[in-house]
Amino acid sequence: MASRLLLLLFVSATLGHAHFPSGQRLKPRLQRDRRNIRPNIILILTDDQDQELGSMQAMNKTRRIMEEGGTSFSNAFVTTPMCCPSRSSMLTGKYVHNHNTYTNNENCSSPSWQRQHEPRSFGVYLNNTGYRTAFFGKYLNEYNGSYVPPGWREWLGLVKNSRFYNYTLSRNGVREKHGAQYPQDYFTDLITSESIRYFRSSKRLYPHRPVMMVLSHAAPHGPEDSAPQYSTAFPNASQHITPSYNYAPNQDKHWIMRYTGPMRPVHMEFTNMLQRKRLQTLLSVDDSVEQLYNMLVETGEVENTYIIYTSDHGYHIGQFGLVKGKSMPYEFDIRVPFFIRGPNVERGTINPHMVLNIDLAPTILDIAGLDTPADMDGKSILSLLETDKPANRFQVTKKQKVWRDSFLVERGKLLHQLVERKEVSQEENFLPKYQRVKDLCQRAEYQTPCQQSGQKWRCVEDATGKFRLFKCKQEGGGTKGVASRQRPMSVKSQLYRRDANVGCDCDPRDLQPPNLRPFNKKPFFFKKKVKAMKSYSRNRYSRSVAMANSYPGNHSLGGGAKWPRPTGNSSEDEFSGMGGATEGMAIPTSHKVTHRCSILPNTTVKCDTGVYQTLQAWKDHKLHIDHEIETLQTKIKNLKEVRGHLKKARPLECDCNKYLYKYKLKNKLRYRGVGGHPFRKGGARDKKAWLLKEQKRRKKMRKIIKRIRNNDTCSMPGLTCFTHDNQHWHTAPYWTLGSFCACTSANNNTYWCLRTINETHNFLFCEFATGFLEFFDLNMDPYQLMNAVSSLDQTVLHQLHVQLMELRGCRGHKQCNPRTQGGRDHSSFDDYRMFEKRKWPRIKKPSSSRTLGPIWDGWKG
């Protein structure tokens, strides 16, 4: 026994003195095998891909690689269901209210975005730490291709919005146009081959440098052009027909949902075709994912690469009667597919935690070994991917991960005035008002009485010792503050005596009427008289008569009819148009206002019988009238602006046949815009407001002119509508059922919503800019068919509103990731009613793709 122990000691001592390098002996196996510690990152992004309508069921290759080979998140959402705002959130990790890209046009790739937020995207951070960064595909909707965004070593960005053929790319700042040849011009295949080429060359030239690539596909966004080999796929696609399909109208939801009625047969046929073409475009993306994966396997980088697959937002096709689109706060628009695979990521698992598009940037930074910046609103999801293995055999319970259970869904923005006021307040002095007034009153120009020429304000000390500013109203000062006005006075409203300095040889005593009242006592017309004069224009029948054939300037009168001249003894009132018809003036029996309605002589309105027969005919004609009213109002507004410009630009010439003007009126016009409050920056604010108003007016005019030129009868006031005809799709399968019109959204569709999912609750609470409220309990109503806000107590509504307001103003990941305290033990929403008495419809969730029969047959990864 002793000999055996001695032999064992001898063998162990011999092995202990073997010549192994100490560093290699202590180095773990993972470090010995891997050439590079930092992993590669590939982000695959699709455009408008839904999760609720079964689009992922068509991508068998992607599901095998990403779902079976990684982790899928069952509660993945976007914070804004629109392209440019959501993509901006992905790049910066911020909510929309923090990066200010509110719509696909508002601040999308604008100079403000390029100056403030683009230099803080995740590409910039990784590029600064040695990653070889590359971007391929669609960037932002308004990207014009004139520059390369910071942070990207290799750049191949799509100019403007998604297209599959006939598009323009910006290749490292150089624009290149592509045609309609397959496969060299097909967008999905092109960016796939370019990304594979870049990855291979990077690993060949810089084998120890990690690569971060973004592949931003156009599919399944319109115009939904598929590759030729997939143009016959999915002939019976019907996964989009959910319980909410064509569920309309919805009188308990916000305005556009109440306005939208059931779809017509042509609309329903279009939704079937649209779903089919969208799935066909995704088959090319499915091939792209497989090619990328095979490339990683061939280069030996698959075990050292994180692959993330997601979409910028969801989509709806016929849900609630909306033919197509996005931008709604409901599940079909905010839910997206989300997969991740890579080192230490558990395979084949489904993670129920809530992940958002604002989590992409922090996650990518965390993978690269960087800390999340304080201004990012999202959080890294790597902590959710760690396997819950006990630290030792004595640890029985697993530590619960702390993660958010609520997030903000926002679309649109506040009025320009509110945002503008906030911006101005940040630039103003934050001293108290009394201190600012006191400092201002130290100036000599405000200490003298209102007797100096051009003085507008003076300081007066009250009984309590505080200084107050008063506007000068005496003759010696500002002459009632004429110069302090932001616009010059109307020259017709003042009569001046001749000044010696004015070179005009007119005698005012010969020109001024003797019975003219002084200007500063009474106006030329009393308000009552003006009101009586305006009543003529409000008389509908008189206006219609004048428009028909009785206006003096109308030269199209038949038979050479002349406007009757009043006789010498007739008074002005007899010919004012308010009394009876004069001789020779024929009153028409009716005045035709529209092609279907007329105004009778007794001021009643009569339309043809077709308007009253169907609701759709009545609605169409009413929308036509609203469109005409909006066009005329725009024209009147433009005419008023031109009239105001002419008033301001009237030349100051001396005309002895009219009025005499004082010479110092010219000096008063020079004070335009400088006579405001002494410490209020009103000039810059008014100029900025005018510029914003002018931009909106010009944009509106361009749209109206475009509609008129194109003879567009589809566009409706306040609605976002589209037309579709046989020439819309240029690749098979083709649309052959003719043109139609459909409206998908409204201008007042601005909202802020609170989406919560935890152990006890699953709901959506929305506040619209119009003041409308919506609440859906998705545990009982998963398809959001009924608005249950009327069943909530006022206390619960107040709690929901408070939490929503906190999220609307949050900044940084510490404020923007709330977690209801206590989990199952306590929640601030435990008091809301569970709707036991309400009769909810019995709804069954659609079956999986395995039971859909011929829809998915023949398509294997």
Side-chain angles (χ1 to χ4, degrees), residues 553-611:
N554 192 346
H555 301 286
S556 62
L557 297 175
K562 301 289 184 179
W563 182 269
R565 299 289 181 182
T567 59
N569 56 359
S570 64
S571 64
E572 182 183 358
D573 292 338
E574 292 178 354
F575 194 68
S576 62
M578 299 294 293
T582 58
E583 187 177 351
M585 177 180 174
I587 300 179
T589 57
S590 64
H591 170 58
K592 195 171 184 63
V593 180
T594 65
H595 63 283
R596 307 192 72 170
C597 296
S598 303
I599 299 178
L600 302 179
N602 58 355
T603 71
T604 59
V605 180
K606 183 180 179 180
C607 301
D608 56 29
T609 57
V611 176

Side-chain angles (χ1 to χ4, degrees), residues 407-442:
F407 70 96
L408 173 68
V409 185
E410 54 184 339
R411 180 192 182 272
K413 57 175 295 187
L414 296 173
L415 299 177
H416 281 289
Q417 185 178 3
L418 297 179
V419 178
E420 184 180 313
R421 186 184 307 150
K422 182 177 180 181
E423 292 175 355
V424 172
S425 64
Q426 292 176 353
E427 298 174 357
E428 289 182 353
N429 188 0
F430 283 94
L431 289 175
K433 184 178 179 180
Y434 72 89
Q435 184 65 39
R436 286 181 284 163
V437 174
K438 183 178 179 181
D439 296 342
L440 196 67
C441 289
Q442 302 299 323

Side-chain angles (χ1 to χ4, degrees), residues 482-488 648-649 667-676:
V482 174
S484 65
R485 299 190 181 186
Q486 298 299 321
R487 57 179 177 84
K648 296 176 183 179
N667 296 330
K668 291 181 179 180
L669 292 176
R670 295 175 186 171
Y671 286 102
R672 177 184 177 187
V674 298

Side-chain angles (χ1 to χ4, degrees), residues 643-808:
R643 183 181 63 181
H645 167 73
L646 292 177
K647 285 183 178 181
K648 296 176 183 179
R650 176 172 178 170
L652 296 175
E653 59 181 356
C654 182
D655 189 353
C656 296
N657 295 324
K658 294 183 179 180
Y659 301 116
L660 291 176
Y661 302 101
K662 203 168 183 178
Y663 178 71
K664 68 177 182 180
L665 177 62
K666 297 182 180 179
N667 296 330
K668 291 181 179 180
L669 292 176
R670 295 175 186 171
Y671 286 102
R672 177 184 177 187
V674 298
H677 201 277
F679 55 85
R680 290 180 186 170
K681 300 180 181 180
R685 179 172 54 192
D686 293 341
K687 182 179 180 180
K688 184 174 182 180
W690 182 85
L691 288 175
L692 291 173
K693 185 178 179 181
E694 183 68 13
Q695 291 175 359
K696 292 181 65 177
R697 185 190 67 81
R698 291 182 179 180
K699 183 178 179 181
K700 192 173 183 180
M701 282 302 300
R702 286 195 299 266
K703 289 184 178 180
I704 293 175
I705 293 173
K706 185 177 179 181
R707 288 203 301 260
I708 293 174
R709 288 178 178 176
N710 298 336
N711 195 19
D712 183 9
T713 59
C714 178
S715 299
M716 300 297 176
L719 294 175
T720 302
C721 307
F722 75 97
T723 56
H724 192 90
D725 52 25
N726 295 346
Q727 286 74 38
H728 183 78
W729 284 322
H730 299 286
T731 58
Y734 299 101
W735 176 257
T736 59
L737 297 182
S739 62
F740 66 88
C741 171
C743 297
T744 58
S745 186
N747 294 346
N748 60 359
N749 190 28
T750 296
Y751 54 78
W752 300 269
C753 299
L754 176 67
R755 184 71 175 94
T756 296
I757 302 177
N758 54 31
E759 297 85 354
T760 56
H761 298 87
N762 183 9
F763 65 83
L764 174 73
F765 171 72
C766 292
E767 294 181 355
F768 289 81
T770 57
F772 197 82
L773 302 179
E774 290 185 359
F775 179 87
F776 302 95
D777 185 354
L778 277 78
N779 286 331
M780 306 182 65
D781 182 20
Y783 295 97
Q784 300 160 294
L785 303 180
M786 302 179 67
N787 181 12
V789 70
S790 59
S791 300
L792 295 180
D793 295 331
Q794 291 297 325
T795 304
V796 177
L797 279 177
H798 177 70
Q799 293 172 349
L800 295 172
H801 172 74
V802 169
Q803 188 174 3
L804 181 59
M805 293 303 295
E806 291 177 354
L807 283 175
R808 285 179 58 180

Side-chain angles (χ1 to χ4, degrees), residues 9-40:
L9 290 174
F10 175 78
V11 172
S12 60
T14 305
L15 292 176
H17 288 83
H19 296 284
F20 289 107
S22 60
Q24 183 177 352
R25 185 180 63 213
L26 298 176
K27 186 180 295 185
R29 179 186 177 188
L30 184 63
Q31 284 187 328
R32 291 201 308 267
D33 293 343
R34 286 175 55 178
R35 294 178 296 173
N36 185 15
I37 299 300
R38 291 193 297 175
N40 307 303

Side-chain angles (χ1 to χ4, degrees), residues 804-818:
L804 181 59
M805 293 303 295
E806 291 177 354
L807 283 175
R808 285 179 58 180
C810 73
R811 291 183 181 274
H813 57 86
K814 293 184 179 180
Q815 299 180 6
C816 296
N817 296 280

